[in-house]
Amino acid sequence: MHRTLEEIKRLPKGIMKAQEAFERFISEYEGFKLPREILFTGCGSSHYLSQLLAMATTHLGGRGAALPCSELLYSKDYYPLGNPELLVAISRSGETTEALKALDALEVPKLGVAAYSSSLLEKSDYALFVDTPEESVVMTHSFPAFLFAFQQLLNHSFGRPLYDASRLSKLSREILKNEGYIKEIVEEFDFRNVIFLGSGILYPVALEAALKMKEMAIFWSEAYQTFEVRHGFKSVADEGTLVVLLVDEPFDWHEKLTKEFQGQGSKVFTVGRMDAGAEYFVKVPELPLPESTALYLPVIQLLSYYKAVKRGFDPDNPRFLSKVVKW
Ligand code: F1P
C-alpha cells in the first residue's frame, strides 16, 4: 500500500494527537489566549489551511485573515489585513523557506504550527507541535489534525465548549469506511474534469481538494464557492465532468444546482449531511460545521488518491514536487 494511503487513513489517530498537542500547548503557555485579530499564513495546502482557520476565527466573532507566505512577503499592502495581534505560520515540515521568511513580515508575536521539531517552531514565540509526521510528499492527515488542534485552541480562547476529540476520531473512522465506495466511483466514472464546490468554511476545503487532485493525480481541477460556478465554469461542465459538492445541510438551491449539472450530462458527488439528488453521496456524520470540517478531508484525499492510481501515477512521488519547498 502507498504510504500516502496509509497516512490518509491515519486520521483517527491524528485527531487524538491533535488533542494532545492542544493540551500540551495550553499547559506549556499557561494563561495564553488567542487574540481576536489573527493573520494566518502558509504555502500550498498549509495556505488553504490558513484560509480555513481564518474563517473559523471570524466565525467565532474574531477577525481572521489569511495570505500565502509569498504574498505576505512581497505584496501585503494590497490586502485588507486589519491590525493583526498575532501571526500564525503553518507548515507541516516547519522548514519551507517562505514560511520561515514570513515570520519576519510583521512586528507581532508569532505562533508556529508544525508536525516536526523545526526551524519554524524554534523561531516562533509560541509553538504548536502536532505530532503527525508524514512521509508522503503531499499533506494528508496532518491537515485535518492541525485544523482540529487549532479549532480547540480557538474554542478555548473564545470561551466556547471544546469539541469531543474521541467522538470526532470515531466519526473519522466511520467516514474512512467509504474508501471502497470512493474507489468504485473512480473506477466507474472516468471523469475528464472535476470541480469542487464549497461555501463558507468548505470553500478552502474545495481549494485543498483541487490541489490534491493536481498534486497526486496530475489532473487539472478547480474549486469554486458553490453558486459562483453558475457564472462561468458551467459552460465547461458536460458528460465528462464530475461535480463534487461539499455541503453541510443542502437546501433547495443545492438540488436545483445538482439537476442543472445533471441536465448538462455531468455527474454530481455530494459530500454532506444529506443527499441532494446526486449520483454519488458520502454522508458526513451528524455534526454541524465547523466541528465537522475535518471529516470532509479524507473523502477528497481518497478521491484524488484513487484517481492518481487509476491514471497510473505514484501518489507517493508526485512529479516536479518536493516535500519541502526551499529557495
Ligand atoms: C507546503 C507544501 C505542501 C505541498 C507540497 C509542497 O509544505 O506546499 O502544502 O502539498 O508538499 O510543500 P509545508 O510548508 O506545509 O511543509
Side-chain angles (χ1 to χ4, degrees), residues 299-321:
V299 179
I300 55 106
Q301 291 169 356
L302 288 168
L303 185 71
S304 297
Y305 171 79
Y306 280 107
K307 187 67 173 178
V309 171
K310 180 169 172 70
R311 285 168 50 79
F313 289 106
D314 172 5
D316 288 347
N317 299 293
R319 69 176 187 181
F320 307 149
L321 264 190

Side-chain angles (χ1 to χ4, degrees), residues 76-93:
K76 69 173 183 288
D77 301 343
Y78 289 92
Y79 293 89
L81 302 183
N83 300 300
E85 303 156 84
L86 178 73
L87 174 64
V88 176
I90 301 169
S91 170
R92 175 186 63 171
S93 61

